[in-house]
Amino acid sequence: MISFDDKLQPLLGKKTADALETGLGLTTVGDLLRHYPRRYDERGQLTDIRSLEIDEHVTVQAEVRKCTKRRMKARHGHMTEAVITDGTSELHLVFFGKVAFVAEQELLPGTRALFAGKVGRYRQNLQLVHPAFEILTPESDGSEFLQAFLPVYPASQHINTWNIANCVKQLLEIWDGVPEDPLPLAFREEHGLIGLEEALRAIHRPESWAQISVAQQRLKWDEALAVQLALAQRRKASTARPAPSCARRSGGILDAFDARLPFKLTAGQVEVGEQIAADLEATVPMNRLLQGEVGSGKTMVALRAMLQAVDAGRQSAMLAPTEVLAAQHARSLQEMLGDLAQAGQLGGADVATRVTLLTGSMNTAQRRQALLDIVTGEAGIVVGTHAIIQDKVEFHSLGLVVVDEQHRFGVEQRDALRARGSVENPHVLVMTATPIPRTVAMTVYGDLEVSALRELPGGRSPIKTSVVPVREKPAWLDRAFARVREEVAAGHQAYFVCPRIGDEEPAKSDDEDKRPALSVIDVANMLAQGPLRGLRVEILHGRMPPDEKDAVMRAFAANQVQVLVATTVIEVGVNVPNATVMAIMDADRFGVSQLHQLRGRVGRGSAPGLCLLVTEMPEMTATMERLRAVESTLDGFELAQLDLELRREGDILGAAQSGRRSALKMLSLLRDEDIIAEARLAAQHVVDEDPDLEKHPGLAGMVATLLTEERADFLEKT
Ligand code: ADP
Ligand code: MG
């Protein structure tokens, strides 16, 4: 009896097992059986070379006429070119990389073989690029190669897809299935799913598309269900310990703050504010995700929540991803609060509290004072980077944690946070400006309740976005610089964003055709000496010492610096309402959501914002299409969806989902919304009745495997 946990060696030979491990990290039977084909090549019929058509997938039987290997001129490495014939017509083949060597050795003139691939054209000739082939010998008639569906596996330089297919085949021959399907029969019937063994056999050795599809359905369900069960359990666990109830109090600091607000809260702010206020009063810990465009007023909502906690005698912590941001948050909270943040100081209001900043770059005396304020409870609001939760900072009475920019704050950090309270779990509010597609919210942030602010506060000027195609319209760039000068002349300020800092080793491009990306340092010099001469231009990037960064931010906020050239450090949260223009250089090197996020930095005041996407990309390329999409809409949710379609899903999930990527092998966050939603309901149902899954050992096993994989993945990354 072979089980999923059995090692591949000695089931497969040592050499093969080693290659699977080094190349693909597959060590057990389960690993290999869940290494699913990327796609299937349909073979079957042999085609005559004479009747080949461009773009068809074909298999031909032919004899090699000649085969030569040579070094490539433009690129690194070798290519092998071959000509094959079926007696009447000829066909050209090319191979690259390692296969070029194999092909040269095996495709000797006179050899008969089967070749399968997609028909293309090069100059006058039809050709197959990098076709799969199988040499015909008296022992091997190629019937295996001609089977209807040939699985194509994710491969590596250590082991190719044919070898993997072979390993899987060997394994399936000796595998006698699972002793018990982890999904109970009734459950499978309810959701129309086939058994696990049947699904695994079919996914590797299918006989029809229909078979592939039902197998995929089952395997996707397994993934979706494991994730949703884990999330349902997490939701349950996070409410196991009570939270401090923070009751609203009339005549307190929140009332005083509301009374002096210079504007009316938007309908969304009122609605979400009510939800949060009610959450805070309960003893069930709040776990809420607040989504909203940059400038939609999330910070306002968070501040009001923190004041409710202060009214209840509790402290709040606000965590930002960087020190720059933390310092800025502290400053703007202080500004918004005015004398309400001056407890114990001359002129402080009666109900006042104190906002305390805690960062790694503070000197010892400052730090000691801050820690003292925190432990005594003098500090009602503590602002810092995520490091606060790692450090052993002691709070007097922590009631609420606000996390700004969810994207860099994963499940593990949230768990660490919850573990901070000794008897109680603080309430948690996470805020993100990056709109999250529904499936991602359900999968990655599924342990959080989700609220959204969908409108911008009134009076906010819209951002106008223009693509500046410098190759085709070089004059537009000059006009862009002129525009920046005009804005500055009118008392406003500008950002230039570049993909690279420019202090690294001589920039090497991974692609020889592409020049290195523009850098902060070069662009700042170019601007200061050329088109923007006479203006005060400063730089900001992540590798500057914290005090320098802070000084630059301060000078920019005070309009002593008119032009800030920066990396994406300004992406999150930097708030200078007087900045009205942003030029994003080499805009094609940024993702759609990132561009959207970046441009949110302008147009935060009453003057209209302008965002210029400067690029050398030609029209009609996929990259340009992306930029045009950003130009054409301000709807972050639409752009997030586009991002999901354009980029590999793993990227969009980023670090936020930590290990979740490895768990989702077959499930697509783009296409499988139905399965995810259904699995979520089913999981909630199961966990409600059986929180520890004691009556569902199969399901418990699935969750355990998922969590082990995630943990391994997480540790690898940190
Ligand atoms: P976010 O955190 O979502 O980016 P903020 O809370 O920082 O947004 O708000 C952006 C700006 O809008 C701030 O200057 C804030 O004072 C202002 N603001 C917030 N709510 C309102 C409102 N209801 N009406 C007018 N201005 C508002
Ligand atoms: Mg904000």
Side-chain angles (χ1 to χ4, degrees):
M1 188 86 208
I2 298 169
S3 92
F4 279 178
D5 295 330
D6 287 350
K7 295 281 174 215
L8 287 171
Q9 198 196 331
L11 293 173
L12 303 172
K14 175 165 168 45
K15 218 174 129 220
T16 314
D18 283 350
L20 286 169
E21 174 161 11
T22 1
L24 301 159
L26 309 175
T27 58
T28 65
V29 169
D31 290 346
L32 184 56
L33 291 182
R34 291 195 183 276
H35 187 67
Y36 305 129
R38 197 154 47 82
R39 60 182 166 85
Y40 300 88
D41 277 347
E42 246 179 311
R43 294 278 166 77
Q45 296 298 313
L46 287 176
T47 314
D48 284 343
I49 292 181
R50 200 174 20 181
S51 51
L52 295 185
E53 290 190 29
I54 294 276
D55 284 346
E56 265 183 340
H57 281 275
V58 297
T59 305
V60 296
Q61 181 172 343
E63 187 176 306
V64 179
R65 287 198 53 170
K66 60 182 179 192
C67 181
T68 47
K69 176 164 68 67
R70 63 181 175 81
R71 210 169 250 295
M72 281 183 284
K73 287 187 217 93
R75 281 200 282 168
H76 201 65
H78 290 85
M79 67 185 285
T80 292
E81 291 167 301
V83 181
I84 57 172
T85 175
D86 59 3
T88 44
S89 315
E90 290 190 342
L91 180 62
H92 291 244
L93 314 177
V94 278
F95 301 91
F96 302 103
K98 213 169 167 180
V99 181
F101 290 85
V102 178
E104 189 211 16
Q105 272 173 21
E106 296 194 353
L107 297 180
L108 304 171
T111 307
R112 294 195 65 76
L114 295 171
F115 301 89
K118 191 172 152 190
V119 182
R121 187 198 299 278
Y122 183 69
R123 306 224 166 108
Q124 312 306 344
N125 302 315
L126 290 185
Q127 70 167 10
L128 297 180
V129 177
H130 222 64
F133 62 88
E134 167 111 345
I135 312 271
L136 298 177
T137 62
E139 294 81 50
S140 151
D141 62 357
S143 54
E144 189 62 29
F145 191 79
L146 284 172
Q147 100 187 25
F149 290 89
L150 200 84
V152 179
Y153 290 91
S156 89
Q157 55 170 345
H158 299 279
I159 186 157
N160 65 35
T161 168
W162 308 302
N163 293 134
I164 298 170
N166 241 321
C167 293
V168 173
K169 183 170 161 245
Q170 282 180 43
L171 198 60
L172 287 177
E173 275 162 13
I174 51 172
W175 185 51
D176 31 24
V178 283
E180 197 178 347
D181 198 304
L183 297 189
L185 183 61
F187 190 96
R188 284 185 343 240
E189 282 176 348
E190 187 184 340
H191 299 284
L193 302 171
I194 62 170
L196 180 59
E197 177 178 354
E198 191 186 344
L200 284 174
R201 288 192 189 278
I203 208 74
H204 291 291
R205 321 236 351 125
E207 277 156 20
S208 66
W209 285 113
Q211 222 183 31
I212 293 174
S213 147
V214 292
Q216 283 177 336
Q217 183 79 1
R218 160 66 203 246
L219 299 171
K220 285 175 174 184
W221 252 90
D222 280 4
E223 293 177 10
L225 190 64
V227 168
Q228 295 304 335
L229 284 168
L231 288 168
Q233 286 189 309
R234 202 188 288 274
R235 282 196 295 272
K236 194 118 201 156
S238 74
T239 57
R241 289 194 302 179
S245 158
C246 302
R248 283 172 265 203
R249 182 158 70 84
S250 65
I253 189 169
L254 179 55
D255 281 354
F257 178 76
D258 282 347
R260 44 179 98 172
L261 261 186
F263 43 68
K264 259 185 66 177
L265 296 176
T266 64
Q269 283 172 319
V270 172
E271 189 192 324
V272 174
E274 274 302 315
Q275 269 171 354
I276 294 174
D279 285 355
L280 291 177
E281 293 200 321
T283 52
V284 179
M286 169 174 79
N287 283 297
R288 191 170 285 281
L289 175 67
L290 176 55
Q291 304 187 46
E293 300 272 311
V294 166
S296 57
K298 296 182 298 297
T299 310
M300 178 59 59
V301 170
L303 176 55
R304 295 186 63 253
M306 293 193 284
L307 295 180
Q308 178 174 336
V310 170
D311 274 337
R314 299 288 186 160
Q315 292 168 291
S316 298
M318 183 172 208
L319 309 184
T322 65
E323 298 216 334
V324 172
L325 269 171
Q328 198 176 330
H329 271 313
R331 263 199 309 277
S332 68
L333 293 179
Q334 264 153 354
E335 273 164 29
M336 286 156 96
L337 287 167
D339 64 353
L340 292 176
Q342 295 174 359
Q345 280 172 257
L346 216 58
D350 313 339
V351 287
T353 185
R354 214 184 283 168
V355 177
T356 297
L357 177 67
L358 182 68
T359 63
S361 58
M362 292 164 81
N363 66 34
T364 321
Q366 289 170 321
R367 189 175 169 80
R368 191 173 303 139
Q369 183 60 49
L371 290 173
L372 192 66
D373 287 353
I374 296 169
V375 74
T376 57
E378 300 278 305
I381 296 175
V382 180
V383 187
T385 60
H386 297 163
I388 296 191
I389 55 163
Q390 267 110 38
D391 285 357
K392 300 210 166 22
V393 175
E394 234 184 286
F395 286 85
H396 177 66
S397 172
L398 186 58
L400 166 66
V401 177
V402 176
V403 183
D404 194 15
E405 293 313 334
Q406 168 64 15
H407 251 179
R408 297 164 204 214
F409 200 76
V411 162
E412 289 78 11
Q413 284 99 323
R414 287 206 293 281
D415 283 350
L417 236 178
R418 287 187 193 116
R420 281 308 307 270
S422 43
V423 252
E424 293 170 329
N425 269 347
H427 295 286
V428 177
L429 176 66
V430 270
M431 307 193 291
T432 178
T434 313
I436 299 167
R438 220 171 85 79
T439 50
V440 180
M442 280 192 289
T443 309
V444 182
Y445 307 104
D447 57 335
L448 303 172
E449 308 294 325
V450 180
S451 316
L453 295 175
R454 288 181 176 273
E455 63 197 320
L456 294 184
R460 192 67 49 77
S461 5
I463 305 160
K464 181 168 164 29
T465 305
S466 288
V467 173
V468 179
V470 288
R471 278 243 170 104
E472 284 150 32
K473 310 258 162 62
W476 287 22
L477 189 58
D478 297 330
R479 221 187 295 165
F481 293 135
R483 185 62 199 272
V484 171
R485 297 197 78 104
E486 283 164 26
E487 289 294 320
V488 171
H492 293 299
Q493 293 163 276
Y495 296 104
F496 281 78
V497 182
C498 304
R500 197 162 64 85
I501 297 175
D503 64 350
E504 43 301 80
E505 295 290 291
K508 236 178 63 190
S509 173
D510 36 342
D511 183 342
E512 284 171 27
D513 305 335
K514 231 169 156 183
R515 60 159 173 74
L518 290 172
S519 77
V520 168
I521 292 174
D522 293 344
V523 168
N525 284 334
M526 180 274 286
L527 292 174
Q529 285 160 25
L532 301 185
R533 194 200 306 255
L535 307 187
R536 182 147 172 222
V537 178
E538 284 287 352
I539 64 172
L540 183 73
H541 61 74
R543 278 206 290 274
M544 284 160 59
D547 49 337
E548 254 178 61
K549 275 192 275 193
D550 205 45
V552 170
M553 269 320 299
R554 228 184 265 272
F556 191 64
N559 199 3
Q560 288 152 0
V561 167
Q562 286 97 40
V563 179
L564 188 63
V565 186
T567 54
T568 52
V569 291
I570 62 156
E571 177 183 346
V572 277
V574 169
N575 184 12
V576 176
N578 191 45
T580 48
V581 201
M582 171 178 288
I584 303 178
M585 310 304 284
D586 281 340
D588 48 279
R589 313 248 178 157
F590 297 92
V592 166
S593 290
Q594 206 175 14
L595 292 170
H596 179 64
Q597 184 100 348
L598 280 166
R599 71 176 159 187
R601 300 294 119 210
V602 289
R604 293 171 73 81
S606 50
L610 173 66
C611 176
L612 301 167
L613 305 176
V614 181
T615 179
E616 286 186 2
M617 278 290 143
E619 291 292 346
M620 310 295 287
T621 55
T623 320
M624 195 56 148
E625 297 285 297
R626 268 173 32 201
L627 297 182
R628 293 290 177 200
V630 177
E631 183 182 45
S632 68
T633 178
L634 282 171
D635 184 336
F637 284 89
E638 202 177 297
L639 291 173
Q641 188 63 35
L642 182 72
D643 230 358
L644 192 58
E645 280 159 32
L646 286 173
R647 294 158 63 193
R648 291 210 1 256
E649 295 182 9
D651 297 338
I652 206 167
L653 301 182
Q657 49 56 285
S658 302
R660 198 127 296 164
R661 178 183 319 196
S662 63
L664 302 186
K665 295 188 179 76
M666 187 165 279
L667 190 71
S668 160
L669 296 182
L670 186 57
R671 289 177 296 275
D672 297 324
E673 181 166 347
D674 293 353
I675 296 179
I676 294 170
E678 209 183 316
R680 185 173 171 82
L681 277 179
Q684 187 63 50
H685 217 79
V686 173
V687 170
D688 278 345
E689 280 171 10
D690 181 14
D692 297 322
L693 300 177
E694 279 162 352
K695 285 174 277 176
H696 297 86
L699 299 183
M702 284 165 59
V703 174
T705 308
L706 170 80
L707 295 180
T708 315
E709 276 175 23
E710 285 195 356
R711 205 161 299 131
D713 217 54
F714 179 66
L715 289 178
E716 210 169 278
K717 285 212 189 76
T718 45

